[in-house]
Amino acid sequence: MRVRTWTGLVGAVVTAGVLVGAGALPWVAALDAAWRVVQDHQGPLSTTTVAEVTEQPLSGVTRVLAADGSLITDFYDRDRVPVTADQIAPVMGTALVDVEDARFYSHGGVDPIGTLRALVADVSSGGAAQGGSTLTQQLVKQTLLQDATTTAGQEAATADTVARKITEARLALAVDAQLTKSQILTRYLNTVYFGHGAYGVQAAAQTYFSVDASGLSTLQAATLAGLVQNPSADDPIDHPDAAQARRDVVLQRMHGQGDLSDADLAADTAAPVTTAPGPDLPQGCAQAVVGGFFCDYARQYLTGTLGLTDQQLDQGGLTIRTTLDPTVQRSGDAAVVKTVAADSPLAAVYDVVQPGTGHVLGMSVNRTFGCNGDDCTSVDLPTAAARGSGSTYKLFTAAYALQHGYTASFTQTTSSPYTSTVYKENGGTRGAPYVVENASTHYPETLDLADALVMSSNTFFVGLEDHLGSVEGPVREAQQLGLASLTDDQAQQMVDGEQGSFTLGPIGTSPLDLTDSYATVFSGGTQCDPTPVTAVTGPDGAPVTGPDGAVLDTGDHCTADALPAPVANTLAQVMRGDVQSDIGTAGRARIPGYDVAGKTGTAQHNYSIAFVGSTPQYTAGVMVFNPDEDVDVGGYGGDKGARIWHDAMAPVLEQTPSTSFPPADRSVLGVPDGGDCPFTEGDLTLVC
């Protein structure tokens, strides 16, 4: 390792004959003494501080990509994309060295000639030490300034004091001893601020000229090299005349150093400064190109489930590949505002999950994520358990019953209103009995389970709970299928309180979790946790590891047979009737030529409406509610909910081959083996 001392630099200056005359030598002696005093006071250099400059990875832009590789947004504190030496046009380094530090390749990190000349001039005049900084010293200063997290740290990095300059010089010597000139120059070009929000030469090349750093021309390189001293005043976009004057200074220096011919100098200085500004990088989820709510959900997943830090996301230069399908997302975005206007107090939420993987394909809301003036929406409405989802919970009661001795043919007669023989109005085992009625008078009193689910009979399902004798089975079934917003505490309260209203969905429900639980049924019984991320890689392309050193787990998390396949497939066939038969409640969701199954829900007092529909490839849930207060939202799940689902899914299915749900199981349906399947719902014959 090369060791350089301030005394050695003084000797070099004297030897060079720069400081001549008896009057200069006392200043040299005084400065050498000052160096020793400050060095003794400061003590040894911190290896941590040196490592900040030589080893610490430079912060970079994290790219968040959709499933097709298109950009969703970028996460970053600073717009910087570190590049290697061979990704920077050689003329860029030449221009910078010629104008900022012509002796860069011959000095040892501190230029004794320039530094002592500046120190002598400034100290003799009574001012603070100014000027004379090498590129290595500038790199030290820029690094300490950009790494400072407090005002005091920033002030210390830029203080106009001899002590600060000497510390900077000491660090520069240490840096030069550890890195090659090429490494120092490359790190400088990746670190320095070029103005207009661009840190580093790659960001600057894109910001001002829409080219990569490797493609910079002489004129462009000279313009950028001229920016580092005063990036605001010499900004070629905002101040082209000042930029041209500064650029020409750089070109003159390049000519003076023999790096630009007479002819090129004449031609280049005659040319005006021209820019081709690149687009601003989106920053964060509020500026997402697509899927702002999905973006926020993915970020929470990255920090919460996967354990990354905000610093890693904003500075790590990662590449995050997500499950978002831009076609699904944009179609949902258009559908929600078509039915519920963007300025409505009602929130229309639409989530899409892929059955069998849990991949979240889209999250649409009739709002813009972030702030629009004083109107801010930062709550992730697609995941928040804000309101109940009504009769969608009947699925959980049906799924449990079909696994415990009941079939889809199970028939009972329930009047409307119906008085429960088990459950009480306020829960528990005492008090007035629980009385429930249907939404209208068109419900037959006698129904089988399949038709009751399709027609959404309240009285039938409370009667079914009476037969079961407890709500515990349906409650645990909901959790088993993936309704994570039903917490263990809530579940236990429903069970302990014998809340017969459970099957009517009064509990605050996450739209995403509701959709995911239905996807379990439509996948054939495989429950998968919702996931928005499929890969996280670092700047080098390698998978990112967590605190434990293991590669982040971005795989699917699925449980096979969470619902037995015969039951799942039978329920899917039954729920086709809700959309495709004349007795169903969701006919508005019908898309000719495609198998669509689903279930509607309307919460008490119409405080929210819901519809979850599915094809074999896509399960999508809709909820409409007022997130700020309990109000009648108007309509019902088969109206706004089904219309949003139809309008969002129809354009997607036009690009998707039609497939069918697996046949129902005869034993689960409760029909005899052999012959044609006689099971019908209204005018629809089920496949079995």
Side-chain angles (χ1 to χ4, degrees):
M1 178 181 291
R2 295 167 289 172
V3 179
R4 299 181 177 87
T5 66
W6 186 259
T7 305
L9 295 177
V10 172
V13 171
V14 175
T15 302
V18 175
L19 295 175
V20 246
L25 291 177
W27 284 108
V28 174
L31 290 169
D32 189 33
W35 166 268
R36 294 179 184 279
V37 170
V38 173
Q39 187 173 16
D40 289 343
H41 175 71
Q42 292 177 340
L45 283 175
S46 166
T47 55
T48 301
T49 306
V50 175
E52 280 186 68
V53 185
T54 59
E55 300 175 18
Q56 181 173 282
L58 291 168
S59 65
V61 174
T62 289
R63 310 277 284 173
V64 185
L65 307 179
D68 64 357
S70 61
L71 180 69
I72 296 175
T73 195
D74 297 309
F75 296 147
Y76 60 93
D77 289 335
R78 297 187 176 98
D79 178 6
R80 174 189 282 125
V81 181
V83 288
T84 58
D86 60 0
Q87 293 174 308
I88 303 171
V91 70
M92 183 68 237
T94 299
L96 184 69
V97 169
D98 286 352
V99 74
E100 289 293 322
D101 189 1
R103 285 183 286 273
F104 174 69
Y105 291 103
S106 60
H107 64 63
V110 176
D111 182 2
I113 299 173
T115 299
L116 284 182
R117 180 189 293 123
L119 285 171
V120 169
D122 287 345
V123 174
S124 63
S125 67
Q130 300 284 340
S133 291
T134 65
L135 285 180
T136 315
Q137 288 172 276
Q138 291 181 39
L139 172 61
V140 169
K141 181 178 179 179
Q142 286 276 341
T143 302
L144 297 181
L145 176 61
Q146 293 179 23
D147 287 355
T149 58
T150 64
T151 301
Q154 293 171 347
E155 291 174 349
T158 57
D160 286 332
T161 64
V162 173
R164 196 271 299 172
K165 292 290 288 186
I166 292 177
T167 299
E168 188 178 279
R170 295 177 66 198
L171 285 169
L173 293 171
V175 169
D176 193 82
Q178 293 187 27
L179 301 180
T180 67
K181 292 295 185 180
S182 176
Q183 289 171 327
I184 293 170
L185 182 58
T186 301
R187 195 167 181 91
Y188 179 95
L189 284 168
N190 278 316
T191 300
V192 70
Y193 181 57
F194 285 94
H196 237 79
Y199 288 81
V201 66
Q202 173 64 18
Q206 285 290 331
T207 295
Y208 293 113
F209 307 115
S210 296
V211 300
D212 288 329
S214 60
L216 287 167
S217 68
T218 299
L219 282 174
Q220 292 168 340
T223 302
L224 294 185
L227 283 174
V228 298
Q229 289 296 328
N230 198 336
S232 177
D234 296 328
D235 186 320
I237 296 175
D238 295 336
H239 307 291
D241 291 341
Q244 181 167 345
R246 179 61 179 161
R247 179 207 66 185
D248 290 350
V249 170
V250 178
L251 293 171
Q252 291 285 356
R253 296 282 182 86
M254 294 175 70
H255 176 261
Q257 294 297 319
D259 293 320
L260 197 65
S261 69
D262 293 343
D264 287 340
L265 175 66
D268 289 347
T269 54
V273 165
T274 58
T275 59
D280 292 335
L281 295 185
Q283 185 173 19
C285 296
Q287 296 180 17
V289 176
V290 63
F293 285 95
F294 174 89
C295 171
D296 184 64
Y297 169 65
R299 181 163 184 132
Q300 292 181 43
Y301 184 89
L302 288 161
T303 57
T305 303
L306 297 185
L308 293 175
T309 65
D310 287 326
Q311 183 178 16
Q312 284 177 289
L313 293 181
D314 295 332
Q315 300 179 12
L318 311 177
T319 298
I320 297 166
R321 299 190 179 276
T322 74
T323 58
L324 183 77
D325 183 325
T327 299
V328 170
Q329 179 65 51
R330 291 191 171 97
S331 185
D333 292 345
V336 291
V337 296
K338 180 180 178 181
T339 295
V340 183
D343 60 357
S344 170
L346 302 182
V349 177
Y350 175 78
D351 290 324
V352 187
V353 171
Q354 185 177 62
T357 66
H359 291 183
V360 180
L361 306 181
M363 286 182 160
S364 297
V365 184
N366 63 327
R367 283 159 166 70
T368 299
F369 182 82
C371 294
N372 182 10
D374 295 332
D375 183 17
C376 296
T377 304
S378 57
V379 174
D380 207 344
L381 293 170
T383 64
R387 298 288 182 273
S389 61
S391 295
T392 59
Y393 276 41
K394 289 171 182 169
L395 171 66
F396 307 131
T397 306
Y400 179 78
L402 292 177
Q403 296 174 78
H404 293 83
Y406 295 83
T407 69
S409 300
F410 168 70
T411 302
Q412 64 173 332
T413 299
T414 55
S415 61
S416 182
Y418 171 78
T419 300
S420 172
T421 60
V422 174
Y423 307 104
K424 304 302 179 182
E425 181 178 0
N426 297 313
T429 59
R430 299 188 178 190
Y434 180 43
V435 179
V436 65
E437 57 186 356
N438 291 318
S440 68
T441 59
H442 79 277
Y443 291 87
E445 289 191 348
T446 302
L447 288 168
D448 61 30
L449 190 155
D451 284 351
L453 183 61
V454 167
M455 298 178 72
S456 199
S457 170
N458 295 339
T459 60
F460 181 96
F461 274 88
V462 173
L464 181 57
E465 283 185 323
D466 282 352
H467 278 275
L468 295 173
S470 169
V471 299
E472 182 165 14
V475 168
R476 303 305 180 194
E477 188 66 33
Q479 292 183 301
Q480 175 81 0
L481 296 184
L483 191 68
S485 62
L486 176 59
T487 66
D488 288 341
D489 287 344
Q490 285 178 313
Q492 198 58 52
Q493 289 173 9
M494 296 298 294
V495 172
D496 293 343
E498 289 295 351
Q499 299 289 334
S501 62
F502 174 79
T503 196
L504 305 183
I507 305 168
T509 303
S510 158
L512 176 63
D513 290 342
L514 180 66
T515 303
D516 185 66
S517 65
Y518 268 67
T520 301
V521 176
F522 296 120
S523 71
T526 297
Q527 189 277 320
C528 299
D529 295 340
T531 178
V533 175
T534 58
V536 181
T537 53
D540 59 356
V544 171
T545 57
D548 60 355
V551 172
L552 294 180
D553 182 2
T554 56
D556 301 341
H557 294 86
C558 299
T559 302
D561 298 321
L563 183 66
V567 175
N569 295 336
T570 300
L571 281 170
Q573 285 291 335
V574 166
M575 286 191 288
R576 286 176 58 222
D578 196 30
V579 178
Q580 296 178 230
S581 79
D582 58 359
I583 66 170
T585 60
R588 289 178 175 86
R590 190 177 307 169
I591 300 176
Y594 291 88
D595 253 10
V596 179
K599 181 71 191 78
T600 58
T602 303
Q604 192 172 24
H605 307 303
N606 276 71
Y607 287 162
S608 69
I609 58 172
F611 173 67
V612 185
S614 189
T615 69
Q617 305 100 322
Y618 303 99
T619 301
V622 181
M623 285 187 68
V624 178
F625 55 92
N626 186 313
D628 300 317
E629 58 181 332
D630 287 333
V631 297
D632 186 336
V633 302
Y636 50 93
D639 179 20
K640 290 186 179 75
R643 284 193 284 127
I644 289 172
W645 194 97
H646 171 275
D647 293 344
M649 194 56 66
V652 174
L653 293 182
E654 287 177 359
Q655 306 174 38
T656 306
S658 177
T659 57
S660 301
F661 289 111
D665 182 88
R666 290 176 179 274
S667 63
V668 178
L669 279 176
V671 298
D673 291 335
D676 294 332
C677 176
F679 208 94
T680 61
E681 290 174 355
D683 61 346
L684 177 70
T685 299
L686 302 190
V687 178
C688 59

